[in-house]
């Protein structure tokens, strides 16, 4: 039986396999960016401004990183039968100057990372059930896929 | 801003008692009333700091506690601002007193907590950042603490040993605090041998979740004088500010920071702004402080606060720590109570507990954790989603 691939939450990112992007908001006259778009508004100069939906840069510099060594509570869903520790990255997007969290693709450890290194957005499996693969954005070191590590 | 008086303080010891949170709040309130020599029937206003983990009674904490103490027809307000709830409740009491609505008020908060990571409310909410961060990233509270810690290491050269030294220091302070949950003195090896939770932070460096309750009896200076209290500990400043856009730090529980594409580069952060407002209200500067109670949600987080409250330049916090400046007996002791490292966090009670410690210090009643000649203290924390919380007390 084949499972259908779907976004774990709709409307936050595109599923383009080669060039996946986060979907954010941009204040039309002010020019500030938001992610997710639904949280637009923290810039007081945007009050009353139109918020356009925009695709955000898919590369940026690593702002910081850490690990999750213990299983988080729901609504986190443990993929597979047993919890595996994971790496989390915070990446400062090149164009928009905002920092976005995400898990790091498996196979990369904190020893492979350093603040300031170039990262890129990929789409990867978050968890599955009988019918669906639920996908999410993750961060990978730039060139990770071209290098054949993926 | 005019001052108000703190006439009495009380705490129920922190722990994992597993009892109804109302018990902790009532015990703390009774102690605060006794300490103030004020009768419950004299209290004109109750300001409750809410709990969201104890069912409906926690959402209406002022009436819950007033009911448990006996309904007298006094005025009530219940407020929630996550970890800032206690400071928010105190700020409401101060506003009532300074506007003349009441003369004397009780501020109280308590919580009974589940074991393990704090989790979001049940349900599926795609526009709730607290839900999204758990579901999509598995980002727990320690995830954020660890991101800040790692950044200190990369930018300022702080080490895991520095972070551990914060916990060692605070555990030494906590040994002398009868209200603390952890009264064991830890050494660096204990910390290095505890399990990694969120690299580089280990279990003993991350704030636990605790049960506890804390309360204050506060009044106008005139009312205090009418009771013969001419030199009370005073609340001289309270900050409950929001962040100022753009805040360059990624804050709990968001998936992203603000963008500073439209407004130049990062300058002040949220945590700088919190302290700035408290200093302004109290007409006090960092050099005037004799001690501070800061929210050490993690060992490394305490170092961030040294910089945000102006004890040193950004990046220099570990130097203060290494010099022993922030230990009891040092130039500016931080967390003489033992801090969250010795308490764990009982959310709505914690900011009130910080004020209790300030009162004991300023009265010279802190026993073996007494800061010599303490005249000015500052407490600081912040509530998730952007509630600032800082109180300056003077005597």
């Amino acid at each position: 039986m084949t499972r259908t691939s779907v976004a774990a939450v709709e409307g936050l990112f595109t599923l383009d396999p080669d060039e996946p992007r986060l979907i954010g908001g941009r204040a039309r006259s002010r020019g500030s960016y938001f992610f997710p778009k639904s949280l637009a508004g923290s810039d007081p100069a945007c009050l009353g401004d139109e918020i356009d939906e925009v695709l955000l840069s898919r590369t940026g510099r690593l702002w910081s990183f850490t690990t999750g060594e213990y299983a988080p509570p729901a609504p986190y869903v443990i993929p597979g039968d047993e919890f595996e520790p994971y790496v989390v990255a915070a990446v400062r997007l090149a164009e928009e100057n905002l920092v976005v969290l995400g898990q790091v693709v498996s196979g990369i450890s904190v020893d492979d990372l350093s603040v300031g290194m170039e990262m890129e957005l990929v789409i990867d499996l978050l968890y599955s059930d009988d019918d669906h693969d639920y996908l999410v954005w993750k961060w990978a070191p730039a060139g990770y896929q071209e290098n054949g590590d993926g | 801003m005019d001052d108000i008086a703190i006439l009495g303080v009380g705490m129920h010891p922190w722990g994992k008692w597993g009892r109804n949170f109302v018990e902790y709040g009532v015990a703390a309130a009774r102690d605060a009333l006794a300490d103030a020599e004020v009768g419950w029937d004299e209290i004109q206003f109750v300001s409750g700091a809410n709990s969201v983990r104890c069912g409906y009674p926690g959402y209406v904490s002022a009436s819950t506690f007033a009911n448990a103490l006996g309904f007298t027809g006094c005025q009530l307000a219940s407020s929630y601002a996550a970890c800032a709830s206690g400071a928010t409740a105190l700020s409401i009491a101060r506003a009532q007193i300074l506007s003349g609505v009441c003369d004397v008020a009780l501020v109280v908060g308590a919580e009974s907590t589940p074991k393990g990571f704090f989790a979001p409310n049940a349900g599926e909410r795609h526009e709730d950042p607290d839900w999204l961060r758990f579901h999509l990233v598995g980002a727990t509270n320690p995830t954020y603490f660890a991101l800040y810690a790692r950044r200190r290491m990369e930018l300022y050269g702080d080490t895991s040993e520095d972070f551990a030294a914060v916990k060692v220091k605070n555990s030494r302070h906590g040994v002398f605090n009868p209200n603390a949950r952890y009264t064991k003195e830890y050494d660096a090896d204990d910390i290095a041998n505890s399990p990694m939770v969120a690299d580089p932070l280990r279990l003993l460096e991350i704030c636990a979740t605790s049960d506890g309750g804390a309360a204050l009896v506060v009044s106008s200076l005139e009312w205090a004088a009418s009771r013969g209290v001419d030199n009370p500990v005073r609340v001289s400043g309270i900050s409950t500010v929001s962040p100022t856009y753009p805040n360059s730090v990624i804050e709990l529980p968001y998936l992203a920071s603000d963008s500073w594409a439209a407004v130049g580069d990062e300058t002040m952060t949220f945590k700088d702004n919190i302290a700035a407002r408290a200093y302004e209200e109290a007409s006090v500067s960092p050099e005037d402080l004799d001690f501070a109670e800061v929210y050490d949600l993690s060992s490394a987080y305490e170092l961030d606060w040294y910089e945000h409250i102006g004890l040193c330049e950004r990046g220099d916090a570990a130097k203060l720590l290494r010099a022993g400046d922030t230990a009891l007996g040092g130039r500016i002791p931080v967390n003489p109570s033992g801090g969250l490292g010795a308490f764990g966090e009982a959310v709505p009670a914690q900011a009130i507990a910080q004020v209790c410690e300030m009162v004991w210090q300023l009265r010279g009643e802190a026993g073996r954790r007494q800061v010599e000649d303490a005249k000015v203290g500052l407490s600081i924390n912040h509530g998730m989603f952007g509630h600032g919380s800082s109180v300056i007390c003077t005597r």
Side-chain angles (χ1 to χ4, degrees):
Chain A
M1 194 167 73
T2 25
R3 290 191 290 261
T4 315
S5 291
V6 294
V9 171
E10 294 284 343
L12 297 185
F13 50 98
T14 69
L15 291 174
D16 181 340
D18 299 320
E19 294 273 321
R21 306 275 285 270
L22 296 171
I23 302 169
R26 182 175 184 276
R28 192 171 294 170
S29 46
R30 170 79 156 169
S32 41
Y33 293 89
F34 307 93
F35 179 75
K37 188 190 169 206
S38 62
L39 288 178
S42 54
D43 183 352
C46 292
L47 199 63
D49 204 352
E50 290 294 321
I51 307 295
D52 295 315
E53 187 168 293
V54 290
L55 299 180
L56 303 178
S57 319
R58 60 177 298 265
T59 60
R61 300 267 173 198
L62 188 57
W63 186 81
S64 193
F65 54 94
T66 182
T67 55
E69 307 280 349
Y70 288 85
Y76 187 71
V77 181
I78 293 167
D81 298 330
E82 225 170 274
F83 171 74
E84 295 279 344
Y86 52 88
V87 177
V88 172
V91 174
R92 180 172 166 167
L93 300 186
E95 291 284 318
E96 298 84 358
N97 266 333
L98 60 79
V99 176
V100 180
L101 288 185
Q103 283 195 4
V104 174
V105 292
S106 63
I108 300 292
S109 82
V110 290
D111 297 332
D112 302 316
L113 300 174
S114 60
V115 164
M117 71 188 281
E118 182 92 3
M119 303 290 282
E120 70 181 21
L121 193 83
V122 299
I123 293 298
D124 199 4
L125 182 67
L126 184 61
Y127 63 96
S128 303
D129 61 19
D130 289 345
D131 301 320
H132 298 97
D133 283 333
Y134 295 96
L135 305 180
V136 73
W137 79 88
K138 291 188 184 177
W139 293 109
Y144 168 85
Q145 285 178 314
E146 287 79 355
N147 295 337
D149 294 339
Chain B
M1 186 68 65
D2 289 335
D3 293 353
I4 60 168
I6 303 179
L7 296 177
V9 295
M11 286 174 66
H12 182 286
W14 265 226
K16 211 71 173 176
W17 312 111
R19 299 204 301 272
N20 183 1
F21 78 107
V22 181
E23 274 186 47
Y24 314 142
V26 166
R30 293 180 66 157
D31 281 357
L33 289 163
D35 185 42
E37 298 180 4
V38 168
W40 162 240
D41 57 356
E42 294 182 276
I43 294 291
Q44 299 161 3
F45 175 65
V46 176
S47 193
N50 293 352
S51 166
V52 294
R53 293 184 185 80
C54 300
Y56 215 120
Y59 305 147
V60 290
S61 60
S63 61
T64 295
F65 294 126
N67 188 358
L69 290 157
F71 275 149
T72 60
C74 68
Q75 305 220 56
L76 308 173
S78 303
S79 52
Y80 189 68
C83 306
S85 299
T88 300
L90 177 59
S91 76
I92 294 168
R94 181 181 68 164
Q96 296 282 77
I97 290 166
L98 292 182
S99 63
V101 172
C102 74
D103 302 308
V104 58
L106 174 72
V107 180
V108 55
E111 183 152 274
S112 191
T113 52
K115 189 175 159 55
F117 290 119
F118 280 148
N121 294 344
E124 185 166 334
R125 295 178 307 281
H126 291 185
E127 292 187 343
D128 172 359
D130 196 36
W131 187 89
L132 289 171
R133 57 132 173 172
F134 276 97
H135 187 65
L136 295 179
V137 184
T140 62
N141 293 8
T143 301
Y144 292 79
F145 310 154
L147 291 172
Y148 308 149
R150 170 68 60 185
R151 226 169 136 70
R152 293 198 66 82
M153 297 171 88
E154 298 272 346
L155 292 186
Y156 311 136
D158 290 10
T159 65
S160 293
E161 289 73 25
D162 291 326
F163 301 156
V166 172
K167 172 71 177 192
V168 169
K169 169 185 77 71
N170 288 345
S171 78
R172 285 179 183 154
H173 297 174
V175 165
F176 302 124
N177 196 331
N179 288 309
R181 174 176 171 191
Y182 303 103
T183 50
K184 174 177 158 44
E185 187 175 328
Y186 290 102
D187 64 23
D189 285 343
D190 294 328
I191 292 148
N193 292 328
S194 71
M196 190 70 85
V197 172
D199 194 309
L201 298 175
R202 294 179 179 276
L203 186 63
L204 285 176
E205 296 178 282
I206 292 170
C207 169
T209 61
S210 292
D211 296 2
L216 312 169
V217 174
V218 291
S219 77
S220 66
L221 296 178
E222 296 72 23
W223 200 85
S226 77
R227 304 294 288 238
V229 182
D230 294 321
N231 186 24
V233 173
R234 295 158 178 246
V235 176
S236 298
I238 305 176
S239 172
T240 58
V241 294
S242 83
T244 302
Y245 187 91
N247 176 20
S248 57
V249 173
I250 184 161
E251 300 280 359
L252 270 162
Y254 298 105
L255 285 172
S257 72
D258 292 337
S259 148
W260 54 99
V263 283
D265 210 350
E266 47 194 305
T267 49
M268 290 281 277
T269 69
F270 178 34
K271 296 183 197 80
D272 297 317
N273 294 325
I274 298 170
R277 172 59 189 244
Y279 283 130
E280 185 189 329
E281 274 200 4
S283 300
V284 157
S285 56
E287 306 78 61
D288 299 322
L289 295 185
D290 296 305
F291 65 96
E293 284 283 314
V294 308
Y295 234 49
D296 52 324
L297 290 163
S298 80
S299 53
Y301 216 93
E302 176 170 312
L303 299 177
D304 287 343
W305 286 120
Y306 293 2
E307 295 156 12
H308 295 306
I309 68 175
L311 300 185
C312 59
E313 294 295 314
R314 198 165 293 182
D316 286 347
K319 290 182 196 162
L320 257 66
L321 175 78
R322 291 173 200 147
D325 287 355
T326 57
L328 273 174
R331 184 171 63 79
I332 171 75
V334 174
N335 285 330
S337 70
L340 297 180
F343 275 77
E345 189 182 14
V347 172
Q350 208 70 41
I352 301 171
Q354 289 182 314
V355 176
C356 292
E357 178 67 11
M358 285 200 282
V359 169
W360 284 315
Q361 291 288 350
L362 294 172
R363 287 179 182 167
E365 294 175 359
R368 293 181 67 186
R369 56 180 204 285
Q370 181 65 47
V371 176
E372 211 174 321
D373 279 334
K375 300 277 191 292
V376 182
L378 171 144
S379 69
I380 194 161
N381 79 12
H382 62 92
M384 189 164 85
F385 285 88
H387 276 283
S389 162
S390 180
V391 179
I392 290 178
C393 287
T394 58
R395 193 176 192 206

